[in-house]
């Protein structure tokens, strides 16, 4: 079917663009053409339940794209988390849809493209979250695409009678739609940057390592999520526990016959005691021999995706979102040595690691020690090693978001950076997590860095090398610190017995990373504001 722009210039009428499956009619909002709820695949229900995505049925005329499309089935957040994280629900089956913000909806613009893959532990979230509004990216010359994909048991259940990783296959189908269609919305299909946070970043790690995704994007941003594959038995236990409660076989056919609302309630009940810090059964991406032929981290450490430029990072206190809302910070502090023993089991480490953390952070409470240990083990160590493994011709850039939320107890927690990346700190849903008075100048700086990376492949600071430069986005002006986490990471190197050895996958190929050299402190301009306390020290650069 021919793909032609119907109306790509006039701002006096609603913008209309023809996709491979039919025309869509968007809206002009503050000079930006916005298209919401565009189907990239057919509704994944009925005979298509738990199956890989298939193209949508073509439609006649111009389909209205003025509102967000249906969101995939998902349970609501608990009351404690719902106060902090917005997660709107749009009813309907046609949930495999995406949204486009573009300043120039016509085939001649050839603008850089950014594709957002949301987080939410692969069980919650959607592209309709107001914090993910793409207006600021389009304002700054980028075509912004955000996507929905199947979640929870619908997207990541492991069954004997259905292919795994349906949600990841949805993401691949959306990227294929972008490759085929985005030029008609003003985008350049050869300049696509994928970016995602938490489960979205983990998904991007799997796509980076997937042969089937090669050529679909040029750059990638991983925010607070490393490349990883879940243990198949861990995912299978989720399905089996749900099957036991539902009193049905642990098969896709049996689950498809269960009332959808009951399935979601059961999923929420089974997952209630799982968390990144506590562990437990959870849905995740698994090695499937097809889309994910091997562990993504192994593949990337062995040289996978050598031509994709990377931007990687985390927040200073990721764990506070996982522990603070439910009162776990106080409980972990009360448990003391018992909590540290649990963290050792979670991280598969000996006594030297918590002793080292205590020496580096002598004033920290048990909850902070446990939280930083688990964050480093699950997130920072893998992302450091991924940056170390990049070939010199394809640079990686590393950041840390260090501004503490104005909501008491949250600190610089997981997901707090999102309103700053999207330049949406003023929307009420961003204030749920950031509190009142989030600094607009920090949003200006962080958003500009993401735009620059998409446009030029360089966010504006020193690329990763043996000195481990990390760009700090916190109080005061953004600045670069050398090796701010090196002392903690040296503990994990010593624990593993060899530098760069993957901690959770002993069978993985070892990294070729050399031991870190000693470095000399760089001089920081005295006119800058004082640095916030940095975990593990580090040296500052302008």
């Amino acid at each position: 079917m021919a793909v032609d722009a119907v109306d790509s210039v006039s701002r006096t009428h609603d913008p209309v663009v023809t996709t491979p499956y039919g025309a869509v009619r968007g809206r002009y909002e503050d000079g930006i053409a916005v298209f919401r709820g565009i189907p990239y695949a057919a509704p994944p229900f009925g005979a298509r339940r738990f199956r890989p995505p298939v193209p949508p049925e073509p439609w006649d005329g111009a389909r209205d794209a003025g509102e967000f499309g249906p969101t995939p089935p998902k349970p609501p957040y608990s009351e404690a988390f719902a106060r902090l994280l917005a997660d709107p629900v749009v009813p309907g089956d046609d949930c495999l849809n995406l949204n486009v913000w573009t300043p120039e909806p016509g085939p001649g613009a050839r603008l850089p493209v950014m594709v957002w893959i949301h987080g939410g532990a692969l069980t919650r979230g959607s592209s309709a979250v107001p914090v993910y509004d793409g207006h600021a990216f389009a304002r700054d010359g980028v075509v912004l695409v955000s996507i929905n994909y199947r979640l929870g048991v619908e997207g990541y259940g492991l069954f004997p009678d259905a292919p795994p990783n349906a949600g990841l296959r949805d993401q691949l189908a959306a990227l294929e739609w972008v490759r085929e269609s985005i030029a008609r919305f003003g985008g350049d299909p050869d300049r696509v940057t994928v970016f995602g946070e938490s489960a979205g970043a983990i998904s991007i790690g799997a796509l980076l390592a997937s042969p089937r995704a090669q050529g679909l994007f040029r750059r990638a941003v991983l925010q607070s999520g490393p490349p990883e594959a879940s243990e198949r038995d861990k995912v299978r236990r989720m399905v089996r526990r749900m099957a036991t409660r539902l009193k049905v076989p642990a098969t896709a056919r049996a689950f498809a016959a269960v009332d959808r609302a009951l399935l979601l309630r059961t999923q929420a009940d089974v997952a209630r005691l799982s968390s990144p810090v506590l562990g437990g059964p959870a849905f995740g991406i698994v090695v499937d021999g097809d889309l994910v032929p091997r562990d993504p981290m192994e593949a990337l450490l062995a040289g996978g995706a050598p031509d994709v430029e990377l931007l990687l990072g985390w927040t200073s206190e990721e764990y506070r979102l996982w522990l603070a809302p439910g009162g776990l910070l106080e409980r972990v502090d009360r448990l003391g040595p018992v909590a540290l023993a649990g963290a050792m089991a979670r991280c598969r480490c000996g006594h030297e690691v918590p002793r080292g953390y205590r020496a580096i952070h002598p004033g920290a409470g048990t909850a902070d020690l446990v939280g930083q240990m688990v964050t480093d083990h699950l997130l920072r160590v893998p992302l450091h090693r991924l940056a170390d493994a990049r070939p010199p011709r394809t640079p990686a850039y590393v950041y840390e978001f260090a501004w503490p939320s104005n909501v008491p107890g949250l600190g610089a927690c997981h997901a707090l950076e999102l309103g700053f990346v999207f330049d949406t700190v003023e929307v009420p849903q961003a204030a749920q997590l950031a509190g009142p008075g989030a600094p607009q100048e920090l949003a200006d700086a962080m958003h500009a860095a993401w735009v620059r990376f998409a446009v030029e492949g360089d966010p504006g600071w020193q690329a990763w090398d043996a000195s481990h430069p990390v760009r700090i986005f916190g109080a005061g002006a953004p600045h670069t610190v050398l090796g701010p986490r090196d002392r903690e990471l040296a503990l994990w190197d010593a624990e593993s017995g060899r530098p760069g050895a993957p901690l959770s996958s002993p069978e993985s190929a070892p990294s070729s990373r050399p031991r870190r050299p000693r470095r000399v402190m760089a001089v920081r301009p005295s006119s800058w504001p004082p640095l916030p306390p940095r975990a593990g020290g580090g040296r500052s650069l302008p």
Side-chain angles (χ1 to χ4, degrees), residues 209-300:
S210 175
R212 292 183 56 186
Q214 288 186 3
L216 293 178
F217 50 89
R218 181 174 172 180
R219 301 180 178 113
V221 184
L222 282 70
Q223 300 173 213
S224 300
E228 66 178 23
S230 296
E231 299 173 10
R232 294 178 71 90
D233 187 59
K234 183 177 179 179
V235 179
R236 198 176 283 116
R237 287 203 309 272
M238 277 290 285
V239 174
R240 287 173 177 167
R241 291 183 183 187
M242 290 182 65
T244 298
R245 295 197 179 204
L246 293 167
K247 297 181 173 58
V248 300
T251 64
R253 180 178 180 181
F255 273 52
V258 175
D259 174 77
R260 202 181 298 175
L262 175 59
L263 200 63
L264 290 176
R265 289 197 301 272
T266 305
Q267 175 184 302
D269 288 343
V270 169
R272 186 167 49 89
L273 297 179
S274 297
S275 81
V277 174
L278 300 174
F283 292 111
I285 296 164
V286 298
V287 174
D288 58 19
D290 172 27
L291 181 57
V292 188
R294 62 184 295 196
D295 181 275
M297 192 61 161
E298 291 180 19
L300 293 171

Side-chain angles (χ1 to χ4, degrees), residues 78-441:
S78 67
E79 182 179 351
F81 282 93
R83 289 196 294 266
L84 301 172
L85 301 171
D87 197 11
V89 173
V90 181
D93 286 353
D94 208 356
C95 60
L96 299 185
N97 58 69
L98 52 78
N99 319 294
V100 180
W101 285 259
T102 175
E104 296 185 47
R110 306 293 288 186
L111 297 170
V113 179
M114 297 186 75
V115 179
W116 171 247
I117 302 179
H118 69 80
L122 298 178
T123 57
R124 294 177 175 89
S126 77
S127 65
V129 173
V131 176
Y132 306 154
D133 185 276
H135 182 274
F137 281 105
R139 174 200 68 200
D140 294 332
V142 172
V143 177
L144 191 285
V145 180
S146 61
I147 69 173
N148 286 336
Y149 57 95
R150 278 173 284 181
L151 303 167
V153 71
E154 301 276 358
Y156 297 93
L158 192 55
F159 299 103
D161 56 338
N165 298 323
L168 189 67
R169 295 173 193 274
D170 295 341
Q171 296 171 16
L172 179 69
L175 287 170
E176 290 171 340
W177 183 97
V178 169
R179 180 73 183 176
E180 186 175 5
S181 307
I182 203 63
R184 300 300 167 178
F185 292 83
D188 184 346
D190 294 322
R191 287 199 293 165
V192 173
T193 298
V194 289
F195 70 129
E197 185 266 347
S198 192
I202 292 170
S203 300
I204 290 170
L207 293 167
L208 274 168
S210 175
R212 292 183 56 186
Q214 288 186 3
L216 293 178
F217 50 89
R218 181 174 172 180
R219 301 180 178 113
V221 184
L222 282 70
Q223 300 173 213
S224 300
E228 66 178 23
S230 296
E231 299 173 10
R232 294 178 71 90
D233 187 59
K234 183 177 179 179
V235 179
R236 198 176 283 116
R237 287 203 309 272
M238 277 290 285
V239 174
R240 287 173 177 167
R241 291 183 183 187
M242 290 182 65
T244 298
R245 295 197 179 204
L246 293 167
K247 297 181 173 58
V248 300
T251 64
R253 180 178 180 181
F255 273 52
V258 175
D259 174 77
R260 202 181 298 175
L262 175 59
L263 200 63
L264 290 176
R265 289 197 301 272
T266 305
Q267 175 184 302
D269 288 343
V270 169
R272 186 167 49 89
L273 297 179
S274 297
S275 81
V277 174
L278 300 174
F283 292 111
I285 296 164
V286 298
V287 174
D288 58 19
D290 172 27
L291 181 57
V292 188
R294 62 184 295 196
D295 181 275
M297 192 61 161
E298 291 180 19
L300 293 171
L301 291 180
D307 299 320
V308 179
E309 297 155 337
L310 299 183
L311 173 58
L312 318 166
W314 49 78
T315 71
S316 296
E317 299 168 291
E318 299 273 0
Y319 61 94
R320 286 187 167 266
L321 182 65
W322 306 326
L323 295 180
L328 283 175
L329 280 171
E330 294 79 7
R331 275 187 274 173
V332 171
D333 274 335
R334 287 197 301 269
L335 287 170
V338 175
L340 278 175
M344 290 164 55
R346 177 82 172 102
C347 298
R348 305 174 186 175
C349 68
H351 291 280
E352 291 305 313
V353 172
R355 286 173 185 161
Y357 275 78
R358 179 71 73 187
I360 295 170
H361 308 279
T366 300
D368 287 320
L369 289 178
V370 166
Q372 292 290 7
M373 276 179 57
V374 174
T375 299
D376 286 348
H377 169 70
L378 295 178
L379 200 159
R380 295 193 185 106
V381 170
L383 288 180
H384 268 76
R385 291 177 177 166
L386 176 58
D388 284 341
R390 301 309 291 165
R393 71 177 186 278
T394 312
Y397 299 87
V398 178
Y399 75 90
E400 178 169 320
F401 183 82
W403 181 80
S405 170
N406 287 322
V407 176
L410 287 183
C413 69
H414 190 68
L416 181 58
E417 86 283 8
L418 293 174
F420 296 84
V421 168
F422 279 85
D423 191 11
T424 53
V425 291
E426 80 288 349
V427 306
Q429 292 80 5
Q432 289 178 234
L433 198 61
Q440 181 59 48
E441 62 273 15

Side-chain angles (χ1 to χ4, degrees), residues 44-56:
F45 299 106
R48 293 184 288 268
R49 193 89 174 271
F50 301 108
R51 313 305 299 180
V54 298

